[in-house]
Amino acid sequence: QITIEDTDIPSTVGTELIYYDPTGGSIDPENTQTNQVKLDQNYPNPFQPWTTICFTLPKSQDVTLEVFNLLGQRVKMIFKGFLQAGSHPYNWNGLDDTGEQVNSGIYFYRLSGKNFQQTRKMVILR
């Protein structure tokens, strides 16, 4: 199991949605619209030199799409802001926030919003 430090990336990676309530209460996934948020697997995967990350939002909202390394350090903020409901594709060229190429290896991309976050794994080959 991977230990992620200095971030709140869930240790479970895959198609599972992680629900949380910032007020400390619990959220029932069956009674919330956030269970319709869908973060697709990137393609191609593994990739070189770029990949596409797609997700679908059931309603308009603020979201963040980020890439993290195995140490849990953010390497790229792909998008942060308000999006309309619908499908959204984003291309990532394998560059970090400083414009440098990231090394070959395993990375995680995370889509998060007010009441959800979802994380998937991807591999870059140089």
Side-chain angles (χ1 to χ4, degrees), residues 38-67:
K38 183 174 185 231
L39 178 61
D40 296 326
Q41 184 63 52
N42 67 301
Y43 61 89
N45 188 35
F47 69 95
Q48 175 196 353
W50 61 270
T51 190
T52 301
I53 300 170
C54 295
F55 58 89
T56 304
L57 301 174
K59 61 182 178 178
S60 300
Q61 58 191 294
D62 287 311
V63 297
T64 303
L65 181 61
E66 304 166 284
V67 177

PDB file of all heavy atoms in Angstrom, residues 38-67:
ATOM      1  N   LYS A  38     -18.402  11.095 -13.038  1.00  0.00           N
ATOM      2  CA  LYS A  38     -17.664   9.965 -13.587  1.00  0.00           C
ATOM      3  C   LYS A  38     -16.303  10.432 -14.068  1.00  0.00           C
ATOM      4  O   LYS A  38     -16.213  11.308 -14.927  1.00  0.00           O
ATOM      5  CB  LYS A  38     -18.432   9.336 -14.742  1.00  0.00           C
ATOM      6  CG  LYS A  38     -17.744   8.113 -15.296  1.00  0.00           C
ATOM      7  CD  LYS A  38     -18.591   7.427 -16.341  1.00  0.00           C
ATOM      8  CE  LYS A  38     -17.877   6.158 -16.753  1.00  0.00           C
ATOM      9  NZ  LYS A  38     -17.724   6.011 -18.161  1.00  0.00           N
ATOM     10  N   LEU A  39     -15.262   9.857 -13.503  1.00  0.00           N
ATOM     11  CA  LEU A  39     -13.894  10.112 -13.940  1.00  0.00           C
ATOM     12  C   LEU A  39     -13.440   8.895 -14.727  1.00  0.00           C
ATOM     13  O   LEU A  39     -13.330   7.799 -14.185  1.00  0.00           O
ATOM     14  CB  LEU A  39     -12.976  10.351 -12.742  1.00  0.00           C
ATOM     15  CG  LEU A  39     -11.498  10.579 -13.054  1.00  0.00           C
ATOM     16  CD1 LEU A  39     -11.307  11.824 -13.924  1.00  0.00           C
ATOM     17  CD2 LEU A  39     -10.716  10.715 -11.748  1.00  0.00           C
ATOM     18  N   ASP A  40     -13.201   9.077 -16.017  1.00  0.00           N
ATOM     19  CA  ASP A  40     -12.810   7.968 -16.881  1.00  0.00           C
ATOM     20  C   ASP A  40     -11.320   7.677 -16.754  1.00  0.00           C
ATOM     21  O   ASP A  40     -10.537   8.536 -16.350  1.00  0.00           O
ATOM     22  CB  ASP A  40     -13.117   8.307 -18.339  1.00  0.00           C
ATOM     23  CG  ASP A  40     -14.597   8.484 -18.596  1.00  0.00           C
ATOM     24  OD1 ASP A  40     -15.408   7.792 -17.959  1.00  0.00           O
ATOM     25  OD2 ASP A  40     -14.952   9.340 -19.436  1.00  0.00           O
ATOM     26  N   GLN A  41     -10.952   6.464 -17.159  1.00  0.00           N
ATOM     27  CA  GLN A  41      -9.540   6.121 -17.239  1.00  0.00           C
ATOM     28  C   GLN A  41      -8.914   6.931 -18.371  1.00  0.00           C
ATOM     29  O   GLN A  41      -9.526   7.085 -19.427  1.00  0.00           O
ATOM     30  CB  GLN A  41      -9.371   4.622 -17.515  1.00  0.00           C
ATOM     31  CG  GLN A  41      -7.928   4.153 -17.532  1.00  0.00           C
ATOM     32  CD  GLN A  41      -7.245   4.322 -16.193  1.00  0.00           C
ATOM     33  OE1 GLN A  41      -7.760   3.876 -15.179  1.00  0.00           O
ATOM     34  NE2 GLN A  41      -6.099   4.970 -16.188  1.00  0.00           N
ATOM     35  N   ASN A  42      -7.734   7.465 -18.117  1.00  0.00           N
ATOM     36  CA  ASN A  42      -7.059   8.233 -19.164  1.00  0.00           C
ATOM     37  C   ASN A  42      -6.735   7.345 -20.357  1.00  0.00           C
ATOM     38  O   ASN A  42      -6.655   6.120 -20.227  1.00  0.00           O
ATOM     39  CB  ASN A  42      -5.784   8.884 -18.618  1.00  0.00           C
ATOM     40  CG  ASN A  42      -4.719   7.874 -18.251  1.00  0.00           C
ATOM     41  OD1 ASN A  42      -4.943   7.005 -17.406  1.00  0.00           O
ATOM     42  ND2 ASN A  42      -3.567   7.987 -18.863  1.00  0.00           N
ATOM     43  N   TYR A  43      -6.566   7.961 -21.517  1.00  0.00           N
ATOM     44  CA  TYR A  43      -6.193   7.207 -22.708  1.00  0.00           C
ATOM     45  C   TYR A  43      -5.290   8.079 -23.582  1.00  0.00           C
ATOM     46  O   TYR A  43      -5.482   9.288 -23.630  1.00  0.00           O
ATOM     47  CB  TYR A  43      -7.427   6.748 -23.491  1.00  0.00           C
ATOM     48  CG  TYR A  43      -8.291   7.872 -24.000  1.00  0.00           C
ATOM     49  CD1 TYR A  43      -8.065   8.446 -25.253  1.00  0.00           C
ATOM     50  CD2 TYR A  43      -9.323   8.393 -23.221  1.00  0.00           C
ATOM     51  CE1 TYR A  43      -8.843   9.483 -25.724  1.00  0.00           C
ATOM     52  CE2 TYR A  43     -10.101   9.435 -23.677  1.00  0.00           C
ATOM     53  CZ  TYR A  43      -9.857   9.972 -24.920  1.00  0.00           C
ATOM     54  OH  TYR A  43     -10.623  11.016 -25.387  1.00  0.00           O
ATOM     55  N   PRO A  44      -4.271   7.517 -24.181  1.00  0.00           N
ATOM     56  CA  PRO A  44      -3.822   6.140 -23.941  1.00  0.00           C
ATOM     57  C   PRO A  44      -3.192   6.004 -22.555  1.00  0.00           C
ATOM     58  O   PRO A  44      -2.801   6.991 -21.951  1.00  0.00           O
ATOM     59  CB  PRO A  44      -2.783   5.917 -25.037  1.00  0.00           C
ATOM     60  CG  PRO A  44      -2.274   7.290 -25.377  1.00  0.00           C
ATOM     61  CD  PRO A  44      -3.438   8.222 -25.149  1.00  0.00           C
ATOM     62  N   ASN A  45      -3.082   4.780 -22.096  1.00  0.00           N
ATOM     63  CA  ASN A  45      -2.455   4.490 -20.809  1.00  0.00           C
ATOM     64  C   ASN A  45      -1.829   3.104 -20.898  1.00  0.00           C
ATOM     65  O   ASN A  45      -2.574   2.143 -21.084  1.00  0.00           O
ATOM     66  CB  ASN A  45      -3.478   4.533 -19.680  1.00  0.00           C
ATOM     67  CG  ASN A  45      -2.821   4.436 -18.318  1.00  0.00           C
ATOM     68  OD1 ASN A  45      -1.734   4.947 -18.120  1.00  0.00           O
ATOM     69  ND2 ASN A  45      -3.487   3.768 -17.400  1.00  0.00           N
ATOM     70  N   PRO A  46      -0.523   2.966 -20.792  1.00  0.00           N
ATOM     71  CA  PRO A  46       0.480   4.009 -20.584  1.00  0.00           C
ATOM     72  C   PRO A  46       0.555   4.969 -21.770  1.00  0.00           C
ATOM     73  O   PRO A  46       0.080   4.661 -22.847  1.00  0.00           O
ATOM     74  CB  PRO A  46       1.803   3.241 -20.445  1.00  0.00           C
ATOM     75  CG  PRO A  46       1.486   1.802 -20.561  1.00  0.00           C
ATOM     76  CD  PRO A  46       0.049   1.634 -20.868  1.00  0.00           C
ATOM     77  N   PHE A  47       1.198   6.135 -21.526  1.00  0.00           N
ATOM     78  CA  PHE A  47       1.229   7.140 -22.570  1.00  0.00           C
ATOM     79  C   PHE A  47       2.603   7.753 -22.741  1.00  0.00           C
ATOM     80  O   PHE A  47       3.445   7.699 -21.865  1.00  0.00           O
ATOM     81  CB  PHE A  47       0.188   8.231 -22.305  1.00  0.00           C
ATOM     82  CG  PHE A  47       0.500   9.113 -21.128  1.00  0.00           C
ATOM     83  CD1 PHE A  47       1.150  10.318 -21.309  1.00  0.00           C
ATOM     84  CD2 PHE A  47       0.122   8.744 -19.856  1.00  0.00           C
ATOM     85  CE1 PHE A  47       1.422  11.147 -20.232  1.00  0.00           C
ATOM     86  CE2 PHE A  47       0.383   9.566 -18.767  1.00  0.00           C
ATOM     87  CZ  PHE A  47       1.029  10.768 -18.955  1.00  0.00           C
ATOM     88  N   GLN A  48       2.785   8.318 -23.921  1.00  0.00           N
ATOM     89  CA  GLN A  48       3.951   9.099 -24.267  1.00  0.00           C
ATOM     90  C   GLN A  48       3.612   9.801 -25.555  1.00  0.00           C
ATOM     91  O   GLN A  48       3.196   9.128 -26.505  1.00  0.00           O
ATOM     92  CB  GLN A  48       5.182   8.217 -24.457  1.00  0.00           C
ATOM     93  CG  GLN A  48       6.373   8.968 -24.937  1.00  0.00           C
ATOM     94  CD  GLN A  48       7.464   8.049 -25.495  1.00  0.00           C
ATOM     95  OE1 GLN A  48       7.400   6.849 -25.421  1.00  0.00           O
ATOM     96  NE2 GLN A  48       8.452   8.669 -26.092  1.00  0.00           N
ATOM     97  N   PRO A  49       3.664  11.022 -25.748  1.00  0.00           N
ATOM     98  CA  PRO A  49       4.064  12.060 -24.813  1.00  0.00           C
ATOM     99  C   PRO A  49       2.881  12.752 -24.127  1.00  0.00           C
ATOM    100  O   PRO A  49       3.066  13.610 -23.294  1.00  0.00           O
ATOM    101  CB  PRO A  49       4.791  13.057 -25.718  1.00  0.00           C
ATOM    102  CG  PRO A  49       4.024  12.985 -27.010  1.00  0.00           C
ATOM    103  CD  PRO A  49       3.598  11.527 -27.119  1.00  0.00           C
ATOM    104  N   TRP A  50       1.635  12.402 -24.497  1.00  0.00           N
ATOM    105  CA  TRP A  50       0.467  13.054 -23.892  1.00  0.00           C
ATOM    106  C   TRP A  50      -0.645  12.040 -23.688  1.00  0.00           C
ATOM    107  O   TRP A  50      -0.642  10.959 -24.258  1.00  0.00           O
ATOM    108  CB  TRP A  50      -0.017  14.226 -24.741  1.00  0.00           C
ATOM    109  CG  TRP A  50      -0.435  13.808 -26.120  1.00  0.00           C
ATOM    110  CD1 TRP A  50       0.356  13.741 -27.227  1.00  0.00           C
ATOM    111  CD2 TRP A  50      -1.729  13.356 -26.520  1.00  0.00           C
ATOM    112  NE1 TRP A  50      -0.369  13.279 -28.297  1.00  0.00           N
ATOM    113  CE2 TRP A  50      -1.663  13.027 -27.893  1.00  0.00           C
ATOM    114  CE3 TRP A  50      -2.939  13.190 -25.859  1.00  0.00           C
ATOM    115  CZ2 TRP A  50      -2.743  12.558 -28.612  1.00  0.00           C
ATOM    116  CZ3 TRP A  50      -4.021  12.718 -26.586  1.00  0.00           C
ATOM    117  CH2 TRP A  50      -3.923  12.411 -27.936  1.00  0.00           C
ATOM    118  N   THR A  51      -1.623  12.437 -22.858  1.00  0.00           N
ATOM    119  CA  THR A  51      -2.782  11.601 -22.586  1.00  0.00           C
ATOM    120  C   THR A  51      -4.008  12.488 -22.442  1.00  0.00           C
ATOM    121  O   THR A  51      -3.890  13.701 -22.240  1.00  0.00           O
ATOM    122  CB  THR A  51      -2.565  10.747 -21.319  1.00  0.00           C
ATOM    123  OG1 THR A  51      -3.606   9.774 -21.212  1.00  0.00           O
ATOM    124  CG2 THR A  51      -2.532  11.591 -20.056  1.00  0.00           C
ATOM    125  N   THR A  52      -5.180  11.897 -22.546  1.00  0.00           N
ATOM    126  CA  THR A  52      -6.442  12.611 -22.379  1.00  0.00           C
ATOM    127  C   THR A  52      -7.159  12.082 -21.147  1.00  0.00           C
ATOM    128  O   THR A  52      -7.282  10.870 -20.965  1.00  0.00           O
ATOM    129  CB  THR A  52      -7.344  12.441 -23.617  1.00  0.00           C
ATOM    130  OG1 THR A  52      -6.648  12.949 -24.758  1.00  0.00           O
ATOM    131  CG2 THR A  52      -8.655  13.200 -23.451  1.00  0.00           C
ATOM    132  N   ILE A  53      -7.618  12.999 -20.313  1.00  0.00           N
ATOM    133  CA  ILE A  53      -8.393  12.674 -19.113  1.00  0.00           C
ATOM    134  C   ILE A  53      -9.784  13.261 -19.315  1.00  0.00           C
ATOM    135  O   ILE A  53      -9.921  14.464 -19.558  1.00  0.00           O
ATOM    136  CB  ILE A  53      -7.738  13.262 -17.851  1.00  0.00           C
ATOM    137  CG1 ILE A  53      -6.329  12.702 -17.669  1.00  0.00           C
ATOM    138  CG2 ILE A  53      -8.614  13.015 -16.628  1.00  0.00           C
ATOM    139  CD1 ILE A  53      -5.517  13.397 -16.599  1.00  0.00           C
ATOM    140  N   CYS A  54     -10.808  12.413 -19.231  1.00  0.00           N
ATOM    141  CA  CYS A  54     -12.195  12.854 -19.408  1.00  0.00           C
ATOM    142  C   CYS A  54     -12.988  12.605 -18.133  1.00  0.00           C
ATOM    143  O   CYS A  54     -12.760  11.619 -17.437  1.00  0.00           O
ATOM    144  CB  CYS A  54     -12.862  12.088 -20.546  1.00  0.00           C
ATOM    145  SG  CYS A  54     -12.144  12.400 -22.153  1.00  0.00           S
ATOM    146  N   PHE A  55     -13.929  13.487 -17.870  1.00  0.00           N
ATOM    147  CA  PHE A  55     -14.861  13.289 -16.758  1.00  0.00           C
ATOM    148  C   PHE A  55     -16.190  13.912 -17.102  1.00  0.00           C
ATOM    149  O   PHE A  55     -16.289  14.765 -17.981  1.00  0.00           O
ATOM    150  CB  PHE A  55     -14.297  13.842 -15.441  1.00  0.00           C
ATOM    151  CG  PHE A  55     -13.950  15.304 -15.470  1.00  0.00           C
ATOM    152  CD1 PHE A  55     -14.886  16.273 -15.143  1.00  0.00           C
ATOM    153  CD2 PHE A  55     -12.669  15.717 -15.823  1.00  0.00           C
ATOM    154  CE1 PHE A  55     -14.560  17.618 -15.162  1.00  0.00           C
ATOM    155  CE2 PHE A  55     -12.329  17.053 -15.838  1.00  0.00           C
ATOM    156  CZ  PHE A  55     -13.274  18.015 -15.514  1.00  0.00           C
ATOM    157  N   THR A  56     -17.229  13.445 -16.409  1.00  0.00           N
ATOM    158  CA  THR A  56     -18.586  13.921 -16.628  1.00  0.00           C
ATOM    159  C   THR A  56     -19.150  14.447 -15.312  1.00  0.00           C
ATOM    160  O   THR A  56     -19.048  13.779 -14.276  1.00  0.00           O
ATOM    161  CB  THR A  56     -19.482  12.785 -17.159  1.00  0.00           C
ATOM    162  OG1 THR A  56     -18.888  12.265 -18.351  1.00  0.00           O
ATOM    163  CG2 THR A  56     -20.877  13.287 -17.464  1.00  0.00           C
ATOM    164  N   LEU A  57     -19.743  15.626 -15.359  1.00  0.00           N
ATOM    165  CA  LEU A  57     -20.372  16.246 -14.193  1.00  0.00           C
ATOM    166  C   LEU A  57     -21.887  16.264 -14.376  1.00  0.00           C
ATOM    167  O   LEU A  57     -22.362  16.671 -15.430  1.00  0.00           O
ATOM    168  CB  LEU A  57     -19.880  17.686 -14.024  1.00  0.00           C
ATOM    169  CG  LEU A  57     -18.377  17.880 -13.841  1.00  0.00           C
ATOM    170  CD1 LEU A  57     -18.042  19.376 -13.840  1.00  0.00           C
ATOM    171  CD2 LEU A  57     -17.909  17.218 -12.555  1.00  0.00           C
ATOM    172  N   PRO A  58     -22.646  15.854 -13.346  1.00  0.00           N
ATOM    173  CA  PRO A  58     -24.094  15.864 -13.453  1.00  0.00           C
ATOM    174  C   PRO A  58     -24.701  17.258 -13.292  1.00  0.00           C
ATOM    175  O   PRO A  58     -25.824  17.496 -13.706  1.00  0.00           O
ATOM    176  CB  PRO A  58     -24.538  14.954 -12.314  1.00  0.00           C
ATOM    177  CG  PRO A  58     -23.460  15.102 -11.296  1.00  0.00           C
ATOM    178  CD  PRO A  58     -22.189  15.276 -12.086  1.00  0.00           C
ATOM    179  N   LYS A  59     -23.936  18.182 -12.695  1.00  0.00           N
ATOM    180  CA  LYS A  59     -24.418  19.546 -12.511  1.00  0.00           C
ATOM    181  C   LYS A  59     -23.232  20.500 -12.559  1.00  0.00           C
ATOM    182  O   LYS A  59     -22.084  20.099 -12.351  1.00  0.00           O
ATOM    183  CB  LYS A  59     -25.170  19.686 -11.188  1.00  0.00           C
ATOM    184  CG  LYS A  59     -24.328  19.384  -9.966  1.00  0.00           C
ATOM    185  CD  LYS A  59     -25.138  19.497  -8.701  1.00  0.00           C
ATOM    186  CE  LYS A  59     -24.270  19.137  -7.499  1.00  0.00           C
ATOM    187  NZ  LYS A  59     -25.007  19.271  -6.247  1.00  0.00           N
ATOM    188  N   SER A  60     -23.485  21.758 -12.838  1.00  0.00           N
ATOM    189  CA  SER A  60     -22.438  22.769 -12.886  1.00  0.00           C
ATOM    190  C   SER A  60     -21.855  22.967 -11.495  1.00  0.00           C
ATOM    191  O   SER A  60     -22.607  23.023 -10.516  1.00  0.00           O
ATOM    192  CB  SER A  60     -23.014  24.089 -13.401  1.00  0.00           C
ATOM    193  OG  SER A  60     -23.544  23.914 -14.697  1.00  0.00           O
ATOM    194  N   GLN A  61     -20.531  23.062 -11.417  1.00  0.00           N
ATOM    195  CA  GLN A  61     -19.881  23.176 -10.114  1.00  0.00           C
ATOM    196  C   GLN A  61     -18.400  23.507 -10.256  1.00  0.00           C
ATOM    197  O   GLN A  61     -17.838  23.425 -11.346  1.00  0.00           O
ATOM    198  CB  GLN A  61     -20.041  21.880  -9.332  1.00  0.00           C
ATOM    199  CG  GLN A  61     -19.480  20.659 -10.043  1.00  0.00           C
ATOM    200  CD  GLN A  61     -19.901  19.388  -9.366  1.00  0.00           C
ATOM    201  OE1 GLN A  61     -19.491  19.135  -8.240  1.00  0.00           O
ATOM    202  NE2 GLN A  61     -20.742  18.602 -10.026  1.00  0.00           N
ATOM    203  N   ASP A  62     -17.782  23.884  -9.131  1.00  0.00           N
ATOM    204  CA  ASP A  62     -16.341  24.091  -9.068  1.00  0.00           C
ATOM    205  C   ASP A  62     -15.664  22.740  -8.923  1.00  0.00           C
ATOM    206  O   ASP A  62     -16.082  21.916  -8.091  1.00  0.00           O
ATOM    207  CB  ASP A  62     -15.971  24.961  -7.860  1.00  0.00           C
ATOM    208  CG  ASP A  62     -16.350  26.420  -8.068  1.00  0.00           C
ATOM    209  OD1 ASP A  62     -16.003  26.963  -9.127  1.00  0.00           O
ATOM    210  OD2 ASP A  62     -16.982  27.003  -7.173  1.00  0.00           O
ATOM    211  N   VAL A  63     -14.623  22.510  -9.702  1.00  0.00           N
ATOM    212  CA  VAL A  63     -13.870  21.265  -9.638  1.00  0.00           C
ATOM    213  C   VAL A  63     -12.381  21.554  -9.762  1.00  0.00           C
ATOM    214  O   VAL A  63     -11.972  22.612 -10.233  1.00  0.00           O
ATOM    215  CB  VAL A  63     -14.282  20.250 -10.730  1.00  0.00           C
ATOM    216  CG1 VAL A  63     -15.726  19.815 -10.558  1.00  0.00           C
ATOM    217  CG2 VAL A  63     -14.042  20.799 -12.113  1.00  0.00           C
ATOM    218  N   THR A  64     -11.589  20.577  -9.344  1.00  0.00           N
ATOM    219  CA  THR A  64     -10.141  20.627  -9.478  1.00  0.00           C
ATOM    220  C   THR A  64      -9.681  19.310 -10.068  1.00  0.00           C
ATOM    221  O   THR A  64     -10.102  18.244  -9.613  1.00  0.00           O
ATOM    222  CB  THR A  64      -9.477  20.843  -8.099  1.00  0.00           C
ATOM    223  OG1 THR A  64      -9.995  22.033  -7.517  1.00  0.00           O
ATOM    224  CG2 THR A  64      -7.969  20.965  -8.229  1.00  0.00           C
ATOM    225  N   LEU A  65      -8.813  19.370 -11.078  1.00  0.00           N
ATOM    226  CA  LEU A  65      -8.209  18.191 -11.680  1.00  0.00           C
ATOM    227  C   LEU A  65      -6.700  18.344 -11.528  1.00  0.00           C
ATOM    228  O   LEU A  65      -6.110  19.297 -12.060  1.00  0.00           O
ATOM    229  CB  LEU A  65      -8.606  18.073 -13.151  1.00  0.00           C
ATOM    230  CG  LEU A  65      -8.055  16.870 -13.908  1.00  0.00           C
ATOM    231  CD1 LEU A  65      -8.533  15.553 -13.293  1.00  0.00           C
ATOM    232  CD2 LEU A  65      -8.442  16.941 -15.378  1.00  0.00           C
ATOM    233  N   GLU A  66      -6.080  17.408 -10.755  1.00  0.00           N
ATOM    234  CA  GLU A  66      -4.666  17.497 -10.439  1.00  0.00           C
ATOM    235  C   GLU A  66      -3.973  16.168 -10.701  1.00  0.00           C
ATOM    236  O   GLU A  66      -4.613  15.119 -10.688  1.00  0.00           O
ATOM    237  CB  GLU A  66      -4.468  17.844  -8.965  1.00  0.00           C
ATOM    238  CG  GLU A  66      -5.163  19.113  -8.536  1.00  0.00           C
ATOM    239  CD  GLU A  66      -5.240  19.244  -7.034  1.00  0.00           C
ATOM    240  OE1 GLU A  66      -6.069  18.555  -6.430  1.00  0.00           O
ATOM    241  OE2 GLU A  66      -4.446  20.026  -6.476  1.00  0.00           O
ATOM    242  N   VAL A  67      -2.635  16.230 -10.876  1.00  0.00           N
ATOM    243  CA  VAL A  67      -1.806  15.038 -11.037  1.00  0.00           C
ATOM    244  C   VAL A  67      -0.818  14.996  -9.870  1.00  0.00           C
ATOM    245  O   VAL A  67      -0.221  16.020  -9.516  1.00  0.00           O
ATOM    246  CB  VAL A  67      -1.043  15.068 -12.377  1.00  0.00           C
ATOM    247  CG1 VAL A  67      -0.120  13.865 -12.496  1.00  0.00           C
ATOM    248  CG2 VAL A  67      -2.018  15.114 -13.545  1.00  0.00           C
TER     249      VAL A  67
END
